[in-house]
Amino acid sequence: MSAAQSERNHVIIGTAGHIDHGKTQLVKALTGIDADTLAEEKRRGITIELGFVFMETPVPDKQIVFIDVPGHEKLIKTMVAGASHIDAALLVIAADEGVNLQTREHFDILKLLDIQRGIIALTKIDLVDEGRIKKLESEVRSFVEGTFLSDAPIIPVSAVTGAGLEELKEALVDVSQTVEAREDSGVFRMPVDRAFTMRGFGTVIAGTVLSGEVKVGNKIEIFPDGIISKVRGIHVHHKQTENSGLGKRTAINLLGVDKEKLRRGQCAGQPGSLKPTNRLDGRLHLLKSYGKELKNRVRVRLHTGTAEIISRLVFLDRDKLKPGEDAFVQFVLEAPTVALPQDRFVLRTFSPLMTIGGGSILDSFPLKHKRFDSQTEEGLKKLDGTMDEVVEQMFLKGVFTPQDAAEIALKIGKKDQAVIDAVGKLLKEGKLVEIAPEKAIPEKEKKYLHRDSYDGLVHKLLSLLKNFLERNTHLVSMPFGELQSAVLKITDSQTFNSIVADLIKKETISKKGSKVSPVGYELKMKPHEQKMADAVEKLFKEAGLKAPLEEEARKELDIGASEFKKIMDGFIERDILVRLSDKVTYHKETVNIAQEVVMAELREKNAITIADLRDKLMLSRKYAQAILEYFDNIGLTKREEDRHVIR
Ligand SMILES: Nc1nc2c(ncn2[C@@H]2O[C@H](COP(=O)(O)OP(=O)(O)OP(=O)(O)O)[C@@H](O)[C@H]2O)c(=O)[nH]1
Ligand SMILES: [Mg+2]
C-alpha cells in the first residue's frame, strides 16, 4: 500500500434526526452498508449503538466516515458521544413527518457542540407529493434560520427509489472539501467512543484522533483510570496500519488490558499528558427553548468528550440562570474525567432527560471557587479570551510556581510554538518575568512567573527580611539560609535565586558571605542597648591584642547573658568584633594591627611560627596561635608544618 493511500483524510459526518426518519437507511443507500448490525437493532428496527460507515469520495486521500446515531429519545447520551467530534452534520428529516422532537433536540446538540457545517436531507419523499416537499423545504429553511445550517443545502431523497442520492453525494463531497484540518497540539488524544474485543485482535478502543499521532509500540494511558498500556496494533478503515493521527477514525488494540476496564467516555492519550479532575469550569449557554430558570447547585448530566458525568452545577456570579442566558459555571463532578480548555460540552437535566444547554470548557483543572468573587470572574474571562489572555491567566493561576511554555501548551492543549509566541508578547508587555535559568535551555523550557506573582514574591522576601531585623534589633543582616528556607516554602530555589540576584543587581539588598541585608540598613538600638554596646566595643578596642575572654568582658561590664549575646552577635555580624578562636575575640582594629605585624614579618622572613609571633608581640601562646590560625582560615596564609607562609 502506498503512503498516499494509507494516509487518507477522514471527514467525519454525523447523522442526526428523529427516530425512524431514515438515517440508517440513507447511509445504507449511499454506501451499501447497514450500520445496524446488532440483533436487537434488527429486531426492534431502530439504531441502538453508534454505527461507523466509510464512503469513498472522488477526491484522492479523502474518505467520508458516517457516524450513524440513534434517534431514540432514551439514547441521546449515545448520540452526543457520537456527535461530539464530527466535522459536519447530516440532518435527516422525514418528509412525511417533518420536524419532530428529536429533530429539535439533535439540532440543539449540534449547535451546542459548535458544529460548523452540514447538509439537510428530506427523506422518504416517495411517501409524499411534490407540494408537501416544497412546503417542508420552506418550513425547514425557517427552522434552521440564523444557525450554522442556515445556508446548507436541503436535499429531498428517497432510500427506496434512489431519488436525490446522487445530488446528496455531491453535496456531501462538497461539504467535505470545506472541512479544514483540525488544530493539532501534537500530543496524542483520542476520546473513546467504543470498546470491544475483536476476534484475533484482542481488546480494542476506537475513536476519532483529536490531536497528535499514535504508533504501534507506543505507550498510551487510558484516562481518567490511569491505565497504562502499549499499542499492539492499529486499524484505520478496516486495515491494519503502523500509525494513525489527527482527524482519523482509529481502532487501537491494547496490550494486556481487560475489556471490562474499558468503556465509552474514557480518553486515550500520551501518558501523563492529561490530568483527571473532579471540577471543570466553563461558559454555559442555557437554551431559550428550555423555558425555565436553572438554580444553583442543580444536579445535571455533563457530556464532554464521549463521557457523561453526573455533576452539580455551581453558578459563580448568580443564583439562577434564565433561559437564553450565558454564565460562567463550575461543574463539581461525581466522577473524575479529563478535558481540555475549549472542549465543548452539552448539558442535560438529571431527570427527566432533556437537553438544556452547553458551552465550552475554560479550565480543566480549576480550584474550588469562592462564589461572587470578582477575581474568579476576571480569570474566567481571560480563559475565554484570546490566546495571549489564556496564557497570561495560566501564569496567574500558577501563582508562585514558575512555568514554561511546554507545560502550559500541554495544560491547554495547544502547540508549544503558539504558547512560546504568546509568552514572547506578554514578556514584551511586561506581564511576565523570566526566571533566570541555571544553565542554557531551549526556549520552550524557559520558566516565567506572572509579574504580579513575581512582585508578590519580592514583597514577601523583603518583608521576611524586614521582620527578621525588627525582631533582631541588634543585627543588620539575616542569615541567608533562614531567608531561603522561608521563601522556599512558597516557591522553588531557581526562582528564589533569580529574585535574590535581581534584588542585588537593583541594589535593594546586599549579600556578604552568608548574610543578607537591605542596602543602607542601619542598626536601630534603644538608648540603653546602645550604651551597653558602646561599652563592650570600647573594652575590646582598648584591650587590644590582650583582649579578655568574652565571658570575662561580660562579667566586668555586668551585662545579662542574653543581652550580652545579642550585643556580641551584632558586633560579630558587622565584623566589628572578630572571633579568631573559641577563646580569642578581637576588635576589628586589633585584627588589622595583628595583620600588619604578620605581613611585615612574612615580607622579611617568608615564614612565621607561633613562637615568633608570641615573642614579637609579647603575647601568650594562646593569642599567637589564634591569630595565625585565623589568618590561615581566611586564606591569607597557610601552614607548612609549624611555619605559616603567604598563601
Ligand atoms: N418509504 C421509505 N421508507 C424509508 C425510507 N428511508 C427509511 N425508511 C424506512 O423508515 C424506517 C426507519 O428507517 P431507519 O433508517 O432505520 O431510521 P433511523 O432514522 O435510522 O431510525 P433510528 O436509528 O432508530 O433513529 C425503516 O422501516 C425504513 O425502511 C425511504 O426513503 N422511504
Ligand atoms: Mg438508525
Side-chain angles (χ1 to χ4, degrees), residues 121-390:
L122 303 184
T123 53
K124 307 194 187 183
I125 56 162
D126 54 294
L127 299 179
V128 297
D129 61 26
E130 195 61 30
R132 166 70 185 161
I133 298 173
K134 284 278 154 301
K135 191 163 166 269
L136 186 59
E137 268 181 7
S138 79
E139 273 174 37
V140 169
R141 194 50 84 198
S142 62
F143 171 62
V144 298
E145 200 189 296
T147 73
F148 74 101
L149 288 183
S150 60
D151 295 324
I154 300 177
I155 303 173
V157 292
S158 166
V160 171
T161 67
L165 287 180
E166 276 318 303
E167 204 193 327
L168 177 59
K169 230 181 228 183
E170 269 170 39
L172 287 164
V173 171
D174 284 350
V175 87
S176 74
Q177 294 292 79
T178 69
V179 172
E180 296 140 21
R182 293 169 199 245
E183 198 189 329
D184 189 5
S185 69
V187 177
F188 176 63
R189 178 164 79 124
M190 184 186 90
V192 175
D193 51 34
R194 281 190 304 158
F196 52 96
T197 18
M198 214 160 129
R199 206 178 298 149
F201 199 54
T203 311
V204 177
I205 51 170
T208 303
V209 177
L210 296 189
S211 60
E213 58 168 16
V214 61
K215 291 197 186 94
V216 172
N218 280 172
K219 273 201 172 159
I220 61 172
E221 182 167 352
I222 307 296
F223 299 99
D225 308 58
I227 301 165
I228 303 279
S229 175
K230 207 169 166 180
V231 177
R232 191 162 76 178
I234 297 171
H235 270 197
V236 174
H237 190 207
H238 312 301
K239 288 191 200 83
Q240 205 149 336
T241 109
E242 280 302 299
N243 55 56
S244 181
L246 189 64
K248 285 188 206 170
R249 285 295 313 170
T250 304
I252 299 174
N253 173 209
L254 298 175
L255 194 72
V257 185
D258 288 346
K259 156 78 177 65
E260 286 65 47
K261 290 193 173 152
L262 300 170
R263 62 184 184 280
R264 170 180 300 151
Q266 289 172 323
C267 184
Q270 178 181 304
S273 61
L274 295 167
K275 259 193 183 178
T277 179
N278 284 303
R279 286 173 196 277
L280 287 169
D281 284 355
R283 186 171 31 74
L284 167 68
H285 172 73
L286 186 62
L287 290 174
K288 205 166 187 165
S289 57
Y290 180 49
K292 276 195 265 181
E293 281 181 348
L294 217 52
K295 291 203 185 78
N296 187 44
R297 291 199 65 78
V298 63
R299 206 155 172 240
V300 291
R301 294 167 190 273
L302 172 71
H303 294 256
T304 180
T306 52
E308 179 205 48
I309 311 125
I310 313 285
S311 318
R312 293 263 172 209
L313 179 61
V314 177
F315 293 127
L316 301 172
D317 64 343
R318 65 190 75 206
D319 288 316
K320 302 177 201 162
L321 184 63
K322 294 199 182 84
E325 281 184 348
D326 281 42
F328 290 131
V329 297
Q330 180 161 86
F331 295 101
V332 182
L333 314 179
E334 293 183 10
T337 193
V338 290
L340 283 175
Q342 286 179 21
D343 282 357
R344 303 296 304 187
F345 67 82
V346 170
L347 204 64
R348 307 192 73 223
T349 42
F350 184 72
S351 166
L353 289 167
M354 249 190 299
T355 301
I356 58 168
S360 58
I361 302 292
L362 297 175
D363 192 339
S364 52
F365 217 71
L367 302 170
K368 179 179 178 181
H369 299 303
K370 247 192 287 161
R371 295 183 65 217
F372 301 101
D373 176 55
S374 63
Q375 231 177 325
T376 303
E377 204 177 328
E378 234 161 77
L380 284 167
K381 265 189 202 146
K382 280 214 171 98
L383 291 177
D384 201 16
T386 63
M387 182 67 175
D388 293 354
E389 287 172 314
V390 171

Side-chain angles (χ1 to χ4, degrees), residues 42 94 177 315 348 379 407 433-434 463 504 598 631 644:
K42 298 265 189 240
Q177 294 292 79
F315 293 127
R348 307 192 73 223
E407 246 174 288
V433 181
E434 189 183 343
S463 48
I504 289 174
V598 170
F631 290 140
H644 295 255

Side-chain angles (χ1 to χ4, degrees), residues 17-26 36 45-47 68-72 123-127 157-160:
H18 196 75
I19 188 165
D20 253 2
H21 275 204
K23 298 180 289 298
T24 306
Q25 282 305 316
L26 186 56
D36 287 349
I46 63 163
T47 300
D68 185 38
V69 304
H72 197 288
T123 53
K124 307 194 187 183
I125 56 162
D126 54 294
L127 299 179
V157 292
S158 166
V160 171

Side-chain angles (χ1 to χ4, degrees), residues 465 476-480 483 509-512 514-518:
L465 188 54
V476 292
S477 72
M478 180 174 183
F480 187 70
L483 181 65
I509 62 170
S510 66
K511 185 175 171 249
K512 265 193 231 129
S514 63
K515 295 168 200 163
V516 41
S517 356

Side-chain angles (χ1 to χ4, degrees), residues 392-403:
E392 184 187 355
Q393 181 58 24
M394 291 306 286
F395 279 105
L396 278 168
K397 232 189 112 189
V399 199
F400 298 141
T401 306
Q403 297 176 91

